[in-house]
């Protein structure tokens, strides 16, 4: 299992502004990778292209040896549902659902919500949220909401987790807690974790640190 | 997506209730307006059908023509040069061969009953007042078997006119016009004939002004004598077992007779065209109300779509497809339309029940004088379908817009 980019570029607007320039990158199974750089460096754009939420303007993205431009839209949806988990800076929980119902939303797509309910509770327990599983997002703190969204990303046991500034909206204590969770997921489950951060300290927690500048990878350590 | 749609509807209680209110009012308005208008129409149709006839045979009015005069007065070898062409309507038009009609009607399986009549225009006088009126000479038993006139007699009995004896039953408005009362004599005259006294033995009230202030019923023999047309009739009212056969039978009989044969629809074409116009106005009005109500649903769902952009982004990113997002909002439109439509039907029905107990105040009916409201099932079916389909469309438009949003566009816009 791997993600491979070949000469990927991405442009926006008219006249076109290139935010990513000829990115060549291979992400292997089980890696723990940070994408960092200044604002406008293209790190979030690269994350969304790697996670198939966005498409490159030029170049090829290969997922498990398949060119994503040739994969049917419905198969990409299935792929995202079963093999990818997403965590965003603003949590993006569904406000009308409880913590448990939010965690089970990916499972609901494939009608497995009843089957996976116990597992969802186990994950919430692991994240110290079992006593809050009936609470709605508005009744949870920012750190708790982010942990719920991480639990949601794990429910389908994905091979990849993509996180865009997962600590950006949290205080340092909660930010560290979230990063510890990601590290644990990577170590214990072997899940590939790719996260965007502008925080050097959190970026340095990764085993592989990719630094972008003006749309190009300038460091890949 | 039903689970999430229900959750969203119940969480956004105020918005959902507002949307519901619009559709409830639209549906209830349709039910009430249709109930009142159709109730009135049904009443008028009932009057037209049951107080007159399903099919009416009458003497064809004939006109004097040069050909008809030449044929009767001159041989075919004579050449006539008219200085003034003969013209005018023939007097005393009567049904050509009534006995033939009676035999035909008695043996016809579709005919329930028939009533021979003589109709004449009279001048009614009482004291110094004189009023033009129509008088119908009938056999009371036969007339009652064709119409439900006995239900509209407010004083006396219809059979009181008997078979002879110069007794009449008069419309209440006509009698009021002359200042008369039951038991009094009224002088009736036809054309230049001598006035003959007739005793008022009953009063009727149909609720149709044009009839109540112009019509008098008398015995067939008496009116034939008054009209100086003994043994003649100029009209036969027919009641059928199945009213749907009125038009085809009238058309069929008309083709094989020199008399004029009309079904109730043909005789009252002007009323029916007014009803058609009323229907157009009623439907346009209520459709407009429902469309406005659906704009409410559209606006609220549109607002919901805008508020739920983040949720749409996360749903799309965790594998939900465009059709799932579309369904999420379409289902909400359907639920609002279903619940709103049902509630509208119930409220509309209750308002109609209340209205039907209210005094009409116009003396529309002799049967109690309350508002005439229709509870026809099709009103309710149409109202519900209108609400439901309109809500479906109102829900579909924002749903389609929502399904077209890509997660990355939403996330980027949020970040900006």
């Amino acid at each position: 299992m791997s993600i491979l980019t070949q000469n990927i570029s991405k442009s926006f607007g008219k006249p076109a502004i290139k935010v990513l320039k000829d990115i060549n990158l291979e992400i292997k199974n089980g890696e723990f990778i940070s994408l960092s750089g200044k604002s406008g460096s293209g790190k979030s754009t690269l994350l969304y292209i790697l996670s198939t939420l966005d498409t490159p303007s030029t170049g090829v993205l290969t997922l498990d040896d398949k060119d994503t431009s040739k994969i049917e839209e419905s198969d990409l949806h299935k792929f995202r549902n079963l093999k990818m988990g997403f965590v965003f800076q603003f949590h993006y929980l569904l406000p009308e659902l409880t913590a448990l119902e939010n965690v089970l939303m990916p499972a609901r797509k494939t009608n497995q919500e009843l089957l996976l309910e116990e597992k969802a509770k186990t994950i919430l327990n692991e994240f110290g949220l079992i006593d809050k599983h009936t609470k709605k997002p508005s009744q949870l703190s920012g750190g708790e909401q982010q942990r719920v969204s991480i639990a949601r990303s794990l429910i389908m046991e994905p091979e990849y987790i993509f996180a865009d500034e997962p600590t950006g909206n949290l205080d340092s204590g909660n930010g560290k807690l979230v990063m510890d969770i990601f590290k644990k997921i990577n170590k214990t489950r072997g899940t590939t974790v790719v996260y965007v951060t502008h925080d050097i300290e959190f970026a340095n927690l990764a085993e592989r640190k990719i630094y972008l500048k003006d749309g190009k990878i300038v460091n890949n350590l | 997506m039903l689970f999430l749609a229900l959750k969203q509807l119940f969480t956004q209680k105020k918005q959902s209730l507002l949307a519901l209110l619009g559709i409830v009012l639209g549906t209830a308005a349709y039910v009430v307006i249709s109930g009142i208008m159709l109730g009135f129409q049904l009443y008028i149709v009932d009057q037209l059908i049951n107080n007159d006839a399903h099919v009416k045979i009458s003497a064809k009015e004939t006109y004097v023509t040069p050909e008809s005069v030449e044929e009767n007065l001159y041989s075919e070898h004579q050449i006539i040069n008219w200085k003034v062409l003969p013209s005018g309507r023939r007097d005393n038009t009567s049904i050509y061969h009534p006995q033939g009609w009676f035999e035909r009607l008695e043996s016809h399986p579709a005919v329930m009953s028939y009533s021979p009549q003589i109709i004449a225009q009279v001048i009614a006088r009482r004291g110094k007042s004189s009023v033009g009126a129509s008088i119908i000479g009938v056999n009371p038993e036969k007339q009652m078997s064709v119409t439900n006139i006995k239900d509209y007699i407010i004083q006396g009995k219809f059979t009181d006119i008997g078979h002879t004896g110069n007794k009449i039953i008069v419309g209440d408005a006509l009698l009021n016009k002359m200042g008369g009362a039951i038991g009094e004599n009224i002088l009736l005259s036809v054309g230049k004939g001598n006035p003959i006294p007739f005793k008022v033995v009953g009063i009727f009230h149909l609720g149709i002004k044009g009839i109540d202030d112009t019509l008098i019923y008398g015995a067939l023999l008496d009116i034939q004598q008054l009209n100086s047309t003994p043994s003649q009739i100029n009209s036969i009212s027919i009641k059928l077992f199945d009213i749907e056969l009125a038009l085809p039978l009238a058309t069929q009989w008309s083709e094989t007779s020199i008399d004029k044969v009309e079904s109730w629809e043909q005789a009252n074409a002007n009323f029916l065209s007014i009803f058609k116009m009323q229907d157009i106005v009623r439907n346009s009005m209520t459709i407009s109300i429902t469309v406005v109500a659906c704009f409410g649903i559209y606006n609220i769902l549109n607002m919901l779509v805008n508020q739920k952009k983040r949720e749409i982004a996360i749903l799309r990113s965790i594998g939900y497809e465009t059709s799932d997002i579309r369904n999420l909002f379409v289902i909400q439109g359907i639920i609002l339309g279903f619940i709103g439509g049902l509630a509208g039907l119930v409220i509309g029905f209750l308002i109609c029940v209340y209205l039907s107990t209210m005094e009409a105040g116009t003396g529309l009916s002799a049967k109690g004088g309350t508002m005439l409201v229709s509870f026809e099932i099709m009103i309710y079916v149409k109202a519900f379908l209108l609400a439901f389909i309109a809500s479906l469309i109102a829900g579909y438009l924002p749903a389609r817009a929502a399904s077209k949003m890509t997660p990355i566009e939403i996330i980027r816009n949020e970040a900006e």
Side-chain angles (χ1 to χ4, degrees):
Chain A
M1 296 291 290
S2 66
I3 300 174
L4 187 68
T5 69
Q6 291 167 278
N7 300 319
I8 275 182
S9 298
K10 180 75 180 178
S11 306
F12 288 114
K14 275 182 186 174
I17 298 166
K18 247 185 183 179
V19 291
L20 281 181
K21 297 164 190 165
D22 299 323
I23 304 289
N24 289 294
L25 188 66
E26 186 180 7
I27 296 172
K28 287 182 184 145
N29 203 16
E31 283 195 288
F32 189 59
I33 301 172
S34 67
L35 297 174
S36 59
K38 287 182 181 167
S39 285
S41 61
K43 54 191 187 298
S44 288
T45 304
L46 179 59
L47 183 89
Y48 292 130
I49 289 174
L50 292 173
S51 62
T52 74
L53 286 179
D54 204 357
T55 50
S57 303
T58 56
V60 177
L61 173 72
T62 310
L63 264 179
D64 295 347
D65 301 324
K66 282 180 199 156
D67 181 350
T68 52
S69 65
K70 288 172 184 154
I71 300 175
E72 289 285 321
E73 190 64 25
S74 59
D75 290 332
L76 270 182
H77 285 298
K78 214 175 279 176
F79 195 87
R80 282 204 287 266
N81 181 251
L82 297 173
K83 298 198 171 179
M84 290 179 177
F86 291 87
V87 179
F88 300 95
Q89 181 180 352
F90 297 107
H91 328 313
Y92 288 1
L93 296 174
L94 301 177
E96 48 280 309
L97 304 187
T98 63
L100 180 66
E101 286 166 341
N102 264 292
V103 173
L104 285 168
M105 269 316 281
R108 204 170 273 282
K109 171 65 187 156
T110 47
N111 299 319
Q112 295 184 82
E113 66 273 20
L114 292 176
L115 202 71
L116 296 179
E117 192 175 322
E118 279 313 308
K119 186 177 163 195
K121 283 181 180 168
T122 309
I123 299 171
L124 285 172
N125 189 34
E126 209 176 307
F127 292 174
L129 290 167
I130 191 62
D131 53 336
K132 297 195 171 169
H133 76 278
T134 56
K135 302 276 184 213
K136 291 195 172 169
S138 58
Q139 297 167 298
L140 300 174
S141 70
E144 287 169 335
Q145 287 184 45
Q146 192 62 300
R147 277 181 276 157
V148 172
S149 76
I150 296 170
R152 180 180 60 195
S153 73
L154 289 175
I155 189 69
M156 303 303 282
E157 292 188 2
E159 288 166 19
Y160 304 94
I161 286 183
F162 296 96
D164 186 13
E165 306 257 17
T167 58
N169 227 14
L170 303 177
D171 58 50
S172 59
N174 273 309
K176 195 170 178 315
L177 189 62
V178 164
M179 289 314 299
D180 287 344
I181 290 171
F182 280 134
K183 202 150 201 184
K184 193 175 166 195
I185 292 165
N186 175 254
K187 287 278 171 247
T188 56
R189 298 170 191 248
T191 310
T192 308
V193 177
V194 183
Y195 64 96
V196 166
T197 183
H198 60 267
D199 188 307
I200 295 170
E201 189 190 336
F202 290 143
N204 287 335
L205 291 173
E207 287 167 0
R208 183 176 166 195
K209 299 167 269 292
I210 297 173
Y211 188 80
L212 286 105
K213 191 179 176 188
D214 299 330
K216 283 186 171 178
I217 295 174
V218 291
N219 245 328
N220 189 355
L221 304 166
Chain B
M1 299 309 281
L2 179 66
F3 167 78
L4 192 54
L6 284 172
K7 284 274 184 186
Q8 287 190 344
L9 276 177
F10 283 106
T11 310
Q12 318 263 344
K13 282 191 191 90
K14 216 181 256 178
Q15 286 180 356
S16 303
L17 279 175
L18 268 177
L20 267 184
L21 194 66
I23 206 75
V24 167
L25 289 179
T27 313
Y30 183 90
V31 168
V32 173
I33 292 170
S34 297
I36 293 171
M37 280 192 167
L38 278 186
F40 176 70
Q41 286 181 10
L42 290 174
Y43 171 74
I44 297 292
V45 169
D46 178 67
Q47 300 295 300
L48 295 174
I49 296 169
N50 296 319
N51 290 309
D52 197 359
H54 295 173
V55 177
K56 193 150 199 163
I57 300 165
S58 53
K60 205 173 250 175
E61 286 179 343
T62 56
Y63 294 87
V64 175
T65 60
E67 291 75 27
S68 64
V69 175
E70 286 165 20
E71 197 181 298
N72 286 306
L73 296 179
Y74 305 100
S75 73
E76 57 185 87
H77 304 296
Q78 289 176 293
I79 297 166
I80 314 297
N81 288 311
W82 293 98
K83 282 189 177 172
V84 178
L85 287 173
S87 63
R89 199 179 76 177
R90 286 179 192 278
D91 280 343
N92 295 332
T93 48
S94 59
I95 288 178
Y96 173 64
H97 182 38
Q99 200 55 42
W101 274 117
F102 298 157
E103 286 164 13
R104 190 176 187 176
L105 295 173
E106 267 161 26
S107 61
H108 201 290
V111 176
M112 185 190 280
S113 55
Y114 68 93
S115 172
Q117 301 168 335
I118 178 129
I119 303 170
Q121 301 307 309
V122 293
I123 303 291
R125 290 193 185 89
R126 184 187 166 273
K128 284 184 180 175
S129 65
S130 89
V131 179
S134 292
I135 190 160
I136 305 179
V138 295
N139 174 323
E141 289 78 22
K142 286 203 167 191
Q143 184 67 14
M144 285 194 300
S145 71
V146 171
T147 72
N148 57 3
I149 182 68
K150 66 176 187 333
D151 296 339
Y152 297 91
I153 303 294
I154 53 176
Q155 279 190 60
K157 293 201 300 284
F158 194 72
T159 48
D160 288 346
I161 56 177
H163 295 275
T164 183
N166 288 1
K167 286 172 279 187
I168 51 172
I169 289 182
V170 186
D172 60 346
L174 177 61
L175 200 59
N176 285 341
K177 235 191 256 182
M178 291 191 295
I182 199 159
E184 290 183 352
N185 278 332
I186 285 175
L187 293 173
L188 298 179
S189 61
V190 174
K192 289 177 182 171
N194 289 328
I196 299 172
F198 279 77
K199 187 180 179 184
V200 179
V201 292
I203 302 170
F204 69 83
H205 170 79
L206 286 180
I208 301 173
K209 193 175 180 296
I211 295 177
D212 290 337
D213 65 3
T214 59
L215 194 64
I216 303 170
Y217 282 99
L220 183 63
L221 285 173
D222 293 340
I223 309 307
Q224 281 172 334
Q225 206 172 347
L226 174 73
N227 198 38
S228 307
T229 52
S231 314
Q232 286 187 13
I233 57 164
N234 55 16
S235 174
I236 304 172
S237 286
I238 301 161
K239 186 171 190 173
L240 303 173
F241 286 106
D242 180 4
I243 193 169
E244 298 294 322
L245 292 175
L247 186 59
L249 272 182
T251 310
Q252 184 195 333
W253 289 341
S254 184
E255 283 165 1
T256 57
S257 165
I258 60 166
D259 297 313
K260 183 175 162 187
V261 186
E262 275 186 326
S263 70
W264 71 273
E265 298 106 306
Q266 291 166 319
N268 299 292
N270 54 338
F271 271 109
L272 297 180
S273 63
I274 290 171
F275 292 165
K276 265 188 194 160
M277 189 56 77
Q278 276 188 347
D279 283 343
I280 292 170
V281 172
R282 172 173 61 95
N283 286 326
S284 317
M285 203 158 67
T286 44
I287 286 171
S288 309
I289 294 169
T290 314
V291 166
V292 170
C294 285
F295 262 109
I297 290 192
Y298 171 79
N299 281 332
I300 283 165
L301 283 181
N302 217 16
M303 212 154 70
L304 196 69
V305 166
N306 281 322
Q307 286 173 354
K308 296 286 171 193
K309 277 183 179 172
R310 282 182 174 194
E311 286 83 344
I312 293 169
I314 192 63
L315 287 171
R316 292 290 307 277
S317 68
I318 60 177
Y320 282 83
E321 295 167 50
T322 53
S323 58
D324 293 318
I325 305 300
R326 194 177 55 231
N327 291 344
L328 174 66
F329 294 100
V330 167
I331 288 169
Q332 293 186 46
I334 288 174
I335 293 169
L336 287 173
F338 188 81
I339 297 174
L342 275 186
L345 292 189
V346 173
I347 290 170
F349 174 76
L350 292 176
I351 293 173
C352 284
V353 168
Y354 173 70
L355 287 177
S356 67
T357 63
M358 278 175 71
E359 286 290 324
T362 53
L364 261 183
S365 165
K367 293 175 175 173
T370 52
M371 282 274 283
L372 303 151
V373 182
S374 171
F375 291 94
E376 203 183 307
I377 189 78
M378 280 316 289
I379 294 176
Y380 293 82
V381 172
K382 274 187 197 170
F384 183 75
L385 286 179
L386 195 65
F388 190 71
I389 293 168
S391 308
L392 191 66
I393 295 167
Y396 179 77
L397 297 175
R400 199 180 58 162
S403 70
K404 283 184 178 169
M405 290 177 184
T406 64
I408 197 67
E409 279 170 11
I410 299 167
I411 291 164
R412 275 201 196 108
N413 288 339
E414 290 278 317
E416 283 165 11

